Amino acid sequence: MEDGLCITAVGFLPFIFLVAVLSIFIWSRNKMNSTSTHFVPSRRMDIYEPIHQMTMWGDFKENNCEDISPPVIIEIEGKLDNQSEETSHGTVGPSSKYDQEASRRPDKAQRRLAQNREAARKSRLRKKAYVQQLESSKLKLIQLEQELGRARHQGLYAGGGLDTSQLGYSETINPGITAFEMEYGHWVEEQIIQISDLRNALQSNVGDMELSILVERVLKHYADLFAMKATAARIDVFYLMSGMWKTSAERFFLWIGGFRPSELLKVLLPHLEPMSEQQHFEVCNLRQNCQQAEDALSQGMEKLRYIVVEAVGAGRLGEGNYLPQITAAIEKLEALVRFVGQADHLRQETLQQISRILEPPQAARGLLALGEYLQHLRALSSLWSSRPCEPT
Amino acid sequence: MEKVLKLASEKGILIFSKSTCCLCYAVQMLFQDLGAKYHVHNIDHDPEGKEIEKALLRMGYNGPVPAVFIGGKLVGSTNEVMSLHLSGSLMPLLKPYRG
């Protein structure tokens, strides 16, 4: 088993495991044949051709490894199970032997492989996004520590009157909010994948059935976001309303903790064409109704602001104890949670109506336009923050 | 219970509300914008307010105000009103009470 040992020299731990399993298998199958050429690197890998990630052992990165070792073993087992000649061959023609295998269990094998590839890809993307988030969080922390240090040095942080929110962050970082930020990061990363799938599907002219599955998937994804936001709102509605979890350009458009549904409709509309007269009528109605609903909520928010201003500003002038007023104000601010919920409900209903009024290809185009718009906004924010600072 | 139903059937559009509730105010603004005549019953100003809340509960309505009745029938809270409006089904309901 020199060849097997060769691998272990190259490989990582999962490799060693893989090698061990294969070695045992091959050894048990091949008692007579001393030339065990079946389990070899590089050029002999054409035996295992469909397992794309394994083309070059040397190329293996950690990522790929953890995703494929278990299924790969299954595949190889399957192959070895059948033909003992297979194991005694140096250069087994991939086409003949594999085809036999493939014809026996074509659906299962193909599906498993596709799923593996998908899972591996998603895992890589997730890991990448997570690492990026960690890096940026680390940078933010360093920034904040520096600010705090400066402020203390200047004697601003004297305790008592001034509160730390003036320095731009809250004293205690709520773990629930941290969890929300992380979840949101994953949500964005998943959205990028879904948008890309939508784009590919539209470009390759797939059928309505497949498009409607993709549309449902996107809608469900937005529903997940609203559920996450509802949880976060109960933890700290001010945080949610601040939009600090979004990028700077998105914050510019903030309306009650998110986007204005009517603005999003404006983005979707051109891409829904061509539409039938009936669809046109319904979409125009939707737009108008959405606008009216938004206006109603906005007026409700105005009233809430007024009530809170009154509550916070109440009490006699010069009165030392203002705790009753701010306590009363906090009670009133609890209505904010309901408002954010209503705004998200509007967003969700608007998306649902779009998918109801339109055919799958139209809805797919609309949702793709929406997803790309959000990507553009995020890119705008990145570009904005990397602008060179002008000296005053 | 009877009071609730009586009030609801008398007034075409009835909103059970609280004077401090801003979401109730939002619903009122929507009806105003749509040109519909509505009535508001503030349960925090009604001595029988608690009974009204209990009656609403028995009718299957367990949310906070607003509780919206149209044509004597319970439509629901802000959620339901907004959903109806976005789907285009609110305007037909409001027709008899407009202008």
Side-chain angles (χ1 to χ4, degrees), chain A residues 220-246:
Chain A
K220 163 86 176 39
H221 195 52
Y222 280 114
D224 290 343
L225 175 63
F226 300 135
M228 277 164 53
K229 285 171 75 182
T231 310
R234 284 189 286 272
I235 296 170
D236 184 352
V237 74
F238 272 159
Y239 171 81
L240 204 70
M241 293 279 297
S242 73
M244 287 313 294
W245 45 286
K246 287 182 171 246

Side-chain angles (χ1 to χ4, degrees), chain A residues 310-325:
Chain A
E310 265 199 325
V312 173
R316 284 200 301 267
L317 203 60
E319 174 119 12
N321 180 27
Y322 45 79
L323 199 57
Q325 289 96 297

Side-chain angles (χ1 to χ4, degrees), chain A residues 330-378:
Chain A
I330 286 183
E331 268 178 43
K332 306 207 184 295
L333 282 166
E334 272 155 22
L336 266 180
V337 179
R338 289 186 74 194
F339 269 99
V340 172
Q342 281 307 310
D344 278 349
H345 176 70
L346 263 191
R347 292 167 188 124
Q348 182 153 8
E349 280 296 304
T350 306
L351 291 173
Q352 293 286 347
Q353 288 298 319
I354 283 289
S355 93
R356 183 191 64 83
I357 295 170
L358 302 167
E359 295 297 313
Q362 297 165 306
R365 286 199 303 274
L367 289 176
L368 175 60
L370 177 58
E372 289 190 336
Y373 171 73
L374 298 177
Q375 274 183 302
H376 295 168
L377 272 186
R378 287 194 282 267

